[in-house]
Amino acid sequence: MLCIVCASLGIAHDLHRGYRGFVEWDNAIGNTDYRKKGVGQYGNGTIWFLGISSSHGYQFNEHWFLGAGAMISCGFPKNDKFIPGFVEARYDTKLGKLTPFVDLRAGYYFDGLSEGGLYLSPTIGHTFRTSRNLNFNFGIGMTLKSFTKHNYAHTGNNPGLINTEINYYPLLACRIGIEFQ
């Protein structure tokens, strides 16, 4: 099976108009704030997010795709959950036998402990065209997520909110997956 896939990687196929879907293994690593269980407790450290995403949409021509999707991701070693919903725009091109792409995901994430926040993920990569309906992708880029931090002053039994900070954290990202039409 591996030999058949490797032999077919040199075949380039043009994209056709219509439905297009992606299922990808997502990785992101970087230094970020995280919310500990409990009111007003935060930590900071390097977290590696592993997850799976799926997006589906419409291929308008041989270059432009627009769709929507979601991802489920878990952060290690802090066991943070990260669940963004997003809109995805993608531009594919062909340079001889090379088939590079650029894409941008933009949306909002939920993590179960905080208020969630902005999710933005630009990627550049290469599509390994195997057939008219099934291809493989590899991309690298950045994931930018916001994090809302509430600072409290504890006076007696009543914690009072002092201020709210919104910080943005860039994470180095890598995606590997399949696409189908």
Side-chain angles (χ1 to χ4, degrees):
M1 178 82 154
L2 183 61
C3 292
I4 292 169
V5 170
C6 290
S8 65
L9 291 180
I11 302 169
H13 297 277
D14 291 330
L15 295 169
H16 54 280
R17 179 180 291 190
Y19 168 80
R20 188 176 181 195
F22 300 88
V23 176
E24 296 175 310
W25 177 45
D26 291 77
N27 296 276
I29 189 167
N31 194 38
T32 183
D33 279 344
Y34 59 90
R35 182 169 166 82
K36 296 178 182 178
K37 292 178 181 161
V39 176
Q41 297 178 1
Y42 299 94
N44 184 290
T46 300
I47 298 181
W48 179 18
F49 290 97
L50 295 173
I52 188 164
S53 66
S54 182
S55 58
H56 305 270
Y58 191 78
Q59 185 70 37
F60 291 94
N61 56 34
E62 63 187 33
H63 298 292
W64 288 103
F65 165 83
L66 183 63
M71 176 172 61
I72 298 173
S73 187
C74 188
F76 298 97
K78 305 299 181 209
N79 200 24
D80 268 6
K81 305 293 186 279
F82 179 59
I83 305 170
F86 54 85
V87 173
E88 182 173 8
R90 179 175 166 134
Y91 182 82
D92 294 273
T93 191
K94 200 163 144 183
L95 302 171
K97 289 188 176 190
L98 298 176
T99 50
F101 69 86
V102 295
D103 79 356
L104 176 65
R105 293 177 172 184
Y108 192 84
Y109 78 89
F110 304 93
D111 64 9
L113 291 175
S114 70
E115 298 169 5
L118 173 71
Y119 168 75
L120 189 65
S121 184
T123 305
I124 60 171
H126 189 270
T127 299
F128 299 94
R129 303 250 179 251
T130 59
S131 72
R132 183 171 169 87
N133 296 324
L134 182 67
N135 301 304
F136 296 94
N137 292 307
F138 174 77
I140 57 171
M142 179 185 83
T143 294
L144 180 72
K145 66 178 252 187
S146 66
F147 185 82
T148 303
K149 186 186 230 182
H150 300 287
N151 296 313
Y152 295 90
H154 295 278
T155 55
N157 291 333
N158 297 325
L161 179 64
I162 295 175
N163 68 351
T164 299
E165 299 175 22
I166 298 177
N167 297 310
Y168 297 92
Y169 296 96
L171 307 168
L172 179 61
C174 173
R175 279 187 262 179
I176 301 167
I178 59 171
E179 68 176 72
F180 41 91
Q181 275 193 313

